[in-house]
Amino acid sequence: MYGKLLTTPQAANVLGVSIAFLERDRWAGARVPFIKIGSRAVRYRLQDLEKYIESCIRKSTSDTGRK
């Protein structure tokens, strides 16, 4: 139903970013959706990462993505 859950290093690899980027993102308010399991385990769903990637598509450098 949910598919395989990815660890932070695996998610960073999918997105092509550093582990530190995802750690900072979670601390700053999480633009990239994640799942918290228990008190410490953080996981990412591949479909959420794919949606995030789609939301980042821009047509120019001045395109903010807001309507």
Side-chain angles (χ1 to χ4, degrees):
M1 178 173 169
Y2 291 109
K4 182 180 175 188
L5 297 177
L6 305 175
T7 63
T8 300
Q10 290 170 325
N13 188 49
V14 168
L15 294 174
V17 299
S18 68
I19 293 168
F21 172 88
L22 290 176
E23 291 169 344
R24 281 191 308 270
D25 182 67
R26 291 194 307 265
W27 179 82
R31 292 175 295 167
V32 181
F34 67 95
I35 298 168
K36 186 85 182 248
I37 300 174
S39 63
R40 297 188 69 165
V42 173
R43 297 293 183 266
Y44 295 85
R45 295 186 307 179
L46 183 57
Q47 61 264 38
D48 290 336
L49 299 179
E50 291 168 344
K51 281 184 185 178
Y52 174 74
I53 291 167
E54 287 296 318
S55 76
C56 293
I57 294 174
R58 303 291 184 262
K59 295 183 193 271
S60 73
T61 55
S62 62
D63 183 354
T64 62
R66 296 182 181 165
K67 295 184 181 188

